[in-house]
Amino acid sequence: MSEHHTEISKFLSFVLRHKPEAIGLELDPEGWAEVDTLIAKSGIPLTPALLRDVVASSDKQRFALSADGLYIRANQGHSIAVNLGLEAIEPPEWLYHGTATRFLDSIQLQGLRPQNRQHVHLSADPQTARNVGKRHGQPTVLTVSALLLHREGHPFFRSRNGVWLTTHVPQDAISEL
Ligand code: HQG
Protein backbone atom coordinates (compact mmCIF):
# COMPACT_ATOMS: atom_id res chain seq x y z
CA MET A 1 0.00 0.00 0.00
CA SER A 2 1.25 3.48 -0.81
CA GLU A 3 1.49 6.08 1.93
CA HIS A 4 -1.58 7.81 0.52
CA HIS A 5 -3.52 4.53 0.57
CA THR A 6 -2.48 3.93 4.19
CA GLU A 7 -3.73 7.36 5.15
CA ILE A 8 -7.11 6.70 3.53
CA SER A 9 -7.25 3.24 5.11
CA LYS A 10 -6.70 4.80 8.54
CA PHE A 11 -9.43 7.33 7.86
CA LEU A 12 -11.80 4.52 6.80
CA SER A 13 -10.96 2.50 9.94
CA PHE A 14 -11.71 5.52 12.08
CA VAL A 15 -15.13 6.30 10.60
CA LEU A 16 -16.27 2.73 9.86
CA ARG A 17 -15.09 1.12 13.13
CA HIS A 18 -15.13 3.86 15.71
CA LYS A 19 -16.59 7.29 14.97
CA PRO A 20 -18.91 7.63 11.96
CA GLU A 21 -20.49 10.63 13.66
CA ALA A 22 -17.20 12.51 13.37
CA ILE A 23 -18.14 13.18 9.73
CA GLY A 24 -21.92 12.92 10.20
CA LEU A 25 -22.04 9.44 8.67
CA GLU A 26 -24.58 6.79 9.64
CA LEU A 27 -23.92 3.07 9.65
CA ASP A 28 -26.75 0.57 9.38
CA PRO A 29 -27.03 -2.13 12.10
CA GLU A 30 -24.65 -4.36 10.14
CA GLY A 31 -22.06 -1.62 9.92
CA TRP A 32 -22.58 -0.64 6.27
CA ALA A 33 -22.22 2.96 5.10
CA GLU A 34 -23.29 4.37 1.74
CA VAL A 35 -20.23 4.86 -0.45
CA ASP A 36 -21.53 8.07 -2.04
CA THR A 37 -22.37 9.61 1.32
CA LEU A 38 -19.04 8.59 2.80
CA ILE A 39 -17.20 10.18 -0.11
CA ALA A 40 -19.29 13.34 0.06
CA LYS A 41 -18.77 13.76 3.80
CA SER A 42 -15.17 12.61 4.00
CA GLY A 43 -13.66 16.04 3.48
CA ILE A 44 -10.75 14.44 1.62
CA PRO A 45 -10.20 14.04 -2.13
CA LEU A 46 -11.72 10.57 -2.39
CA THR A 47 -13.26 9.06 -5.53
CA PRO A 48 -15.14 5.77 -5.96
CA ALA A 49 -12.21 4.37 -7.93
CA LEU A 50 -9.69 5.33 -5.25
CA LEU A 51 -11.91 3.83 -2.57
CA ARG A 52 -12.20 0.55 -4.50
CA ASP A 53 -8.43 0.54 -4.91
CA VAL A 54 -7.83 1.03 -1.17
CA VAL A 55 -10.29 -1.76 -0.33
CA ALA A 56 -8.70 -4.15 -2.85
CA SER A 57 -5.11 -3.42 -1.85
CA SER A 58 -5.61 -3.38 1.93
CA ASP A 59 -2.95 -5.77 3.24
CA LYS A 60 -5.31 -7.16 5.85
CA GLN A 61 -8.52 -6.89 3.82
CA ARG A 62 -9.91 -4.55 6.44
CA PHE A 63 -12.94 -3.45 4.40
CA ALA A 64 -15.66 -4.98 2.27
CA LEU A 65 -17.76 -3.47 -0.50
CA SER A 66 -21.27 -4.81 -1.08
CA ALA A 67 -21.76 -6.80 -4.29
CA ASP A 68 -23.41 -3.78 -5.97
CA GLY A 69 -20.57 -1.52 -4.83
CA LEU A 70 -22.96 0.91 -3.14
CA TYR A 71 -22.02 0.14 0.48
CA ILE A 72 -18.81 -0.30 2.44
CA ARG A 73 -18.03 -1.61 5.92
CA ALA A 74 -15.10 -2.69 8.07
CA ASN A 75 -14.66 -6.46 8.31
CA GLN A 76 -13.77 -6.32 12.02
CA GLY A 77 -12.16 -4.17 14.69
CA HIS A 78 -15.23 -2.13 15.66
CA SER A 79 -15.60 -0.32 18.93
CA ILE A 80 -19.22 0.55 18.09
CA ALA A 81 -21.79 -2.23 18.28
CA VAL A 82 -22.51 -3.63 14.82
CA ASN A 83 -23.89 -6.99 13.84
CA LEU A 84 -21.36 -8.52 11.47
CA GLY A 85 -23.62 -11.52 10.93
CA LEU A 86 -20.83 -13.96 11.74
CA GLU A 87 -21.74 -17.49 12.74
CA ALA A 88 -20.06 -19.10 15.71
CA ILE A 89 -17.80 -21.85 14.37
CA GLU A 90 -15.33 -24.41 15.73
CA PRO A 91 -11.88 -22.86 16.12
CA PRO A 92 -8.54 -24.67 15.78
CA GLU A 93 -7.11 -26.23 18.93
CA TRP A 94 -4.86 -23.21 19.57
CA LEU A 95 -5.17 -19.55 18.72
CA TYR A 96 -2.69 -16.79 19.55
CA HIS A 97 -3.01 -13.35 21.06
CA GLY A 98 -0.28 -10.77 20.67
CA THR A 99 -0.04 -8.22 23.44
CA ALA A 100 2.52 -6.10 25.29
CA THR A 101 4.34 -7.39 28.36
CA ARG A 102 3.06 -4.42 30.38
CA PHE A 103 -0.51 -5.83 30.12
CA LEU A 104 0.38 -9.31 31.43
CA ASP A 105 -0.33 -8.72 35.12
CA SER A 106 -3.80 -7.45 34.36
CA ILE A 107 -4.45 -10.24 31.82
CA GLN A 108 -3.39 -12.80 34.44
CA LEU A 109 -6.08 -11.43 36.74
CA GLN A 110 -8.91 -10.80 34.29
CA GLY A 111 -8.19 -12.93 31.26
CA LEU A 112 -8.43 -11.30 27.84
CA ARG A 113 -11.13 -8.67 27.55
CA PRO A 114 -12.27 -6.79 24.42
CA GLN A 115 -11.29 -3.47 26.06
CA ASN A 116 -12.55 -0.75 23.69
CA ARG A 117 -13.57 -3.14 20.93
CA GLN A 118 -16.49 -5.52 20.49
CA HIS A 119 -14.30 -8.63 20.53
CA VAL A 120 -11.02 -10.06 21.71
CA HIS A 121 -8.89 -10.49 18.55
CA LEU A 122 -6.97 -13.71 18.07
CA SER A 123 -4.61 -14.85 15.31
CA ALA A 124 -4.23 -18.25 13.72
CA ASP A 125 -0.43 -18.12 13.91
CA PRO A 126 2.07 -16.79 16.46
CA GLN A 127 3.93 -14.54 14.01
CA THR A 128 0.82 -12.56 13.12
CA ALA A 129 0.02 -12.29 16.83
CA ARG A 130 3.52 -10.95 17.54
CA ASN A 131 3.00 -8.20 14.97
CA VAL A 132 -0.31 -7.28 16.62
CA GLY A 133 1.44 -7.15 20.01
CA LYS A 134 4.23 -4.89 18.70
CA ARG A 135 1.69 -2.11 18.22
CA HIS A 136 1.46 -1.82 22.00
CA GLY A 137 5.10 -2.07 23.10
CA GLN A 138 7.41 -4.97 24.01
CA PRO A 139 5.46 -7.82 22.37
CA THR A 140 4.62 -11.19 23.82
CA VAL A 141 2.46 -13.96 22.43
CA LEU A 142 -0.17 -15.81 24.45
CA THR A 143 -1.54 -19.22 23.47
CA VAL A 144 -5.28 -19.69 23.91
CA SER A 145 -6.82 -23.16 24.18
CA ALA A 146 -9.57 -22.21 21.79
CA LEU A 147 -11.07 -25.62 21.05
CA LEU A 148 -11.49 -26.39 24.74
CA LEU A 149 -13.20 -23.04 25.29
CA HIS A 150 -15.46 -23.66 22.31
CA ARG A 151 -16.43 -27.02 23.82
CA GLU A 152 -17.25 -25.20 27.06
CA GLY A 153 -19.64 -22.95 25.15
CA HIS A 154 -17.51 -19.89 24.34
CA PRO A 155 -18.43 -18.54 20.90
CA PHE A 156 -15.68 -18.14 18.30
CA PHE A 157 -16.07 -16.28 15.03
CA ARG A 158 -13.79 -15.78 12.04
CA SER A 159 -14.12 -12.41 10.36
CA ARG A 160 -14.06 -12.13 6.57
CA ASN A 161 -10.40 -11.22 6.70
CA GLY A 162 -9.39 -14.26 8.76
CA VAL A 163 -9.13 -12.69 12.22
CA TRP A 164 -10.54 -14.87 15.00
CA LEU A 165 -12.90 -13.15 17.42
CA THR A 166 -14.35 -14.09 20.76
CA THR A 167 -15.93 -12.27 23.66
CA HIS A 168 -13.69 -13.13 26.61
CA VAL A 169 -10.83 -15.52 27.28
CA PRO A 170 -10.62 -16.66 30.92
CA GLN A 171 -7.14 -16.59 32.34
CA ASP A 172 -6.96 -20.37 32.89
CA ALA A 173 -7.25 -20.87 29.10
CA ILE A 174 -4.13 -18.75 28.47
CA SER A 175 -0.50 -19.78 28.52
CA GLU A 176 2.59 -17.86 27.49
CA LEU A 177 4.27 -19.09 24.34
C1 HQG B 1 -5.03 -5.84 25.88
C2 HQG B 1 -5.38 -4.55 14.55
C3 HQG B 1 -5.10 -5.42 30.23
C4 HQG B 1 -4.88 -6.64 24.61
C5 HQG B 1 -4.74 -5.86 14.94
C6 HQG B 1 -4.44 -5.54 23.65
C7 HQG B 1 -5.88 -6.68 15.49
C8 HQG B 1 -5.74 -6.28 28.20
C9 HQG B 1 -5.16 -4.31 24.16
C10 HQG B 1 -6.87 -5.65 15.93
C11 HQG B 1 -6.66 -7.15 28.84
C12 HQG B 1 -6.33 -3.89 23.30
C13 HQG B 1 -7.04 -5.68 17.42
C14 HQG B 1 -6.74 -7.09 30.25
C15 HQG B 1 -6.78 -7.50 26.73
N1 HQG B 1 -5.95 -6.22 30.90
N2 HQG B 1 -4.97 -5.43 28.88
N3 HQG B 1 -7.60 -7.87 30.95
N4 HQG B 1 -7.29 -7.88 27.90
N5 HQG B 1 -5.84 -6.53 26.90
O1 HQG B 1 -5.91 -2.61 19.75
O2 HQG B 1 -5.90 -7.25 19.83
O3 HQG B 1 -4.54 -3.12 11.88
O4 HQG B 1 -8.06 -3.07 21.01
O5 HQG B 1 -3.91 -7.65 24.78
O6 HQG B 1 -4.09 -6.47 13.88
O7 HQG B 1 -4.19 -5.35 19.90
O8 HQG B 1 -6.47 -2.19 13.11
O9 HQG B 1 -6.66 -4.97 20.34
O10 HQG B 1 -3.06 -5.36 23.72
O11 HQG B 1 -6.47 -7.55 14.57
O12 HQG B 1 -6.83 -3.80 11.23
O13 HQG B 1 -5.66 -4.65 25.45
O14 HQG B 1 -6.37 -4.38 15.51
O15 HQG B 1 -5.93 -4.61 13.30
O16 HQG B 1 -5.82 -3.37 22.09
O17 HQG B 1 -5.79 -5.47 18.05
P1 HQG B 1 -6.65 -3.41 20.75
P2 HQG B 1 -5.55 -5.82 19.58
P3 HQG B 1 -5.94 -3.36 12.32
Side-chain angles (χ1 to χ4, degrees):
M1 270 203 298
S2 73
E3 218 168 276
H4 187 45
H5 275 45
T6 304
E7 218 171 280
I8 294 171
S9 174
K10 286 191 173 165
F11 167 76
L12 292 175
S13 289
F14 176 67
V15 295
L16 295 174
R17 290 172 170 177
H18 307 298
K19 272 210 178 268
E21 71 273 17
I23 59 164
L25 187 69
E26 273 184 35
L27 308 187
D28 79 3
E30 277 91 46
W32 295 100
E34 240 171 27
V35 167
D36 285 350
T37 314
L38 169 62
I39 288 175
K41 296 192 174 214
S42 69
I44 56 174
L46 202 52
T47 61
L50 183 53
L51 192 71
R52 279 197 300 276
D53 209 27
V54 171
V55 171
S57 64
S58 164
D59 52 354
K60 289 165 76 179
Q61 293 295 303
R62 291 182 177 89
F63 314 104
L65 282 164
S66 57
D68 58 14
L70 296 179
Y71 297 89
I72 183 170
R73 76 173 175 184
N75 280 326
Q76 39 73 223
H78 299 81
S79 56
I80 47 181
V82 299
N83 177 9
L84 291 173
L86 299 172
E87 264 178 62
I89 56 170
E90 185 180 282
E93 188 167 11
W94 309 109
L95 286 170
Y96 303 91
H97 179 83
T99 188
T101 49
R102 65 195 162 97
F103 297 145
L104 286 177
D105 285 351
S106 170
I107 291 171
Q108 249 153 32
L109 285 174
Q110 306 180 333
L112 289 169
R113 299 194 167 278
Q115 306 299 61
N116 293 327
R117 302 193 197 246
Q118 294 291 304
H119 294 101
V120 174
H121 288 228
L122 302 166
S123 309
D125 65 278
Q127 188 51 51
T128 305
R130 181 161 295 276
N131 289 334
V132 173
K134 275 185 195 158
R135 294 161 39 258
H136 299 288
Q138 177 65 44
T140 182
V141 176
L142 306 175
T143 304
V144 170
S145 26
L147 189 57
L148 273 178
L149 287 176
H150 161 78
R151 291 192 177 136
E152 287 170 8
H154 288 251
F156 283 82
F157 310 92
R158 194 174 52 208
S159 70
R160 270 185 57 171
N161 59 343
V163 175
W164 283 90
L165 306 170
T166 192
T167 43
H168 173 236
V169 178
Q171 54 87 22
D172 62 4
I174 301 170
S175 50
E176 258 188 271
L177 196 66

